[in-house]
Amino acid sequence: MEKKIRQYLGEQSLVGRTLLCFDEIGSTNTHLKCLALEGAEDGTAVIAAVQTAGRGRMDRSFQSPKGKGIYLSVLLRPEVPMERLMCVTALAGVAVCDAVEELCGVRPGLKWPNDPVLGNQKLCGILTELVMMPDGTPAVVLGIGLNVLQSETDFSPEVRPIATSLAMELGYAGSVEELAAALLRQLDCMYGALRTNRMAGYLSAYRKGCVHLGKQVRLIGPTSQETVLALEIDEDFGLVVLGADGQRRTVHTGELSVRGLYGYAES
């Protein structure tokens, strides 16, 4: 796998310069968190053909059938203010869309806060985890699971109604390794923007791609749900909503999930 990815990758500034490939792993995020604590270098990437214990947000599992998707984690050690790290998930969503558009000619939408979507279905999951180093400095482990060659039967009955793949939507039959290389390149560009605080282009792309804006959506919390109008994405990639009480407020990543009223991504 590594040889094929590097064949397409070219020279990287940071992300993917150290690339560790596995035929099988429990979770790329879990493995890379351990490597981070052992001193793995900035930009280290871990990729696997299959995950046996893939993880998503809010302790959900992420289905990772062998050879059908990109299961990738990247270690970021940026020397930036902590508040800027909160943008990593959104920036990664734009990077995924950039990579898919580069190879497939179609740009996915973005379901706030962290899911690239096609055909109103989930194409990709993104899990960002903060790791505190022994010296007190923060690092980020960014996990991406992109559905590439899956068919409907590769998803469990619970996931099937909301999930899709490039093959299902576009008939994509290209190389997983070529797409992985494109994703690493785009993540390398994204990381440069994060470190230099040149994120305006990513914010503009996120706002343009967000499928919820101007629509009623359902905010889903641990114990309650609320229907609101999604208004805009603020400068920190927060979702500004208008509640039933007529009050505007901003929802931040990690607080709540968003669903369309009549489907996964859009109402």
Side-chain angles (χ1 to χ4, degrees):
M1 181 189 294
E2 180 178 354
K3 183 177 180 180
K4 288 185 178 180
I5 292 174
R6 290 201 178 280
Q7 175 185 340
Y8 297 111
L9 186 56
E11 187 174 344
Q12 294 290 90
S13 174
L14 278 174
V15 175
R17 192 167 57 187
T18 297
L19 178 61
L20 307 175
C21 298
F22 297 86
D23 289 333
E24 180 178 304
I25 205 169
S27 160
T28 56
N29 259 37
T30 299
H31 186 77
L32 191 51
K33 284 167 71 175
C34 293
L35 295 182
L37 293 170
E38 294 171 0
E41 69 176 15
D42 195 14
T44 296
V46 172
I47 189 167
V50 61
Q51 293 183 115
T52 57
R55 297 185 293 112
R57 291 179 70 241
M58 300 182 179
D59 294 323
R60 300 187 185 103
S61 64
F62 187 88
Q63 296 176 13
S64 314
K66 186 171 185 177
K68 298 295 184 75
I70 296 171
Y71 316 121
L72 168 71
S73 294
V74 173
L75 175 63
L76 308 178
R77 298 183 183 273
E79 295 179 359
V80 301
M82 182 68 76
E83 57 267 23
R84 204 185 304 171
L85 295 181
M86 300 301 103
C87 301
V88 168
T89 298
L91 296 174
V94 174
V96 170
C97 295
D98 289 342
V100 171
E101 185 175 32
E102 176 186 334
L103 283 195
C104 302
V106 173
R107 189 171 186 85
L110 287 162
K111 171 186 168 291
W112 189 92
N114 69 323
D115 289 347
V117 294
L118 270 181
N120 299 339
Q121 304 293 92
K122 180 173 180 173
L123 179 68
C124 175
I126 299 173
L127 175 63
T128 304
E129 298 184 284
L130 188 67
V131 183
M132 297 305 297
M133 297 295 101
D135 63 1
T137 60
V140 172
V141 172
L142 170 63
I144 296 174
L146 176 58
N147 299 330
V148 182
L149 301 177
Q150 287 92 334
S151 64
E152 190 174 301
T153 56
D154 288 309
F155 300 114
S156 70
E158 296 79 17
V159 172
R160 201 170 294 155
I162 66 170
T164 194
S165 71
L166 292 174
M168 291 169 63
E169 296 296 326
L170 307 176
Y172 180 79
S175 164
V176 170
E177 292 83 3
E178 185 176 10
L179 187 55
L183 180 54
L184 287 168
R185 286 196 300 272
Q186 294 297 343
L187 289 172
D188 199 37
C189 293
M190 176 218 80
Y191 193 29
L194 176 71
R195 289 184 291 116
T196 58
N197 199 23
R198 297 177 179 176
M199 302 185 294
Y202 286 86
L203 179 60
S204 177
Y206 194 97
R207 286 169 166 165
K208 185 177 180 180
C210 185
V211 298
H212 299 305
L213 301 187
K215 300 176 181 179
Q216 285 193 313
V217 297
R218 189 174 291 124
L219 296 182
I220 304 172
T223 59
S224 64
Q225 298 186 16
E226 177 187 2
T227 299
V228 300
L229 178 65
L231 297 177
E232 61 181 346
I233 302 297
D234 73 6
E235 295 293 318
D236 299 315
F237 295 90
L239 179 66
V240 181
V241 301
L242 182 67
D245 59 2
Q247 298 297 309
R248 291 168 61 108
R249 73 180 193 273
T250 301
V251 182
H252 296 284
T253 301
E255 292 179 351
L256 296 165
S257 291
V258 168
R259 289 281 180 95
L261 292 183
Y262 307 110
Y264 180 72
E266 292 187 280
S267 57

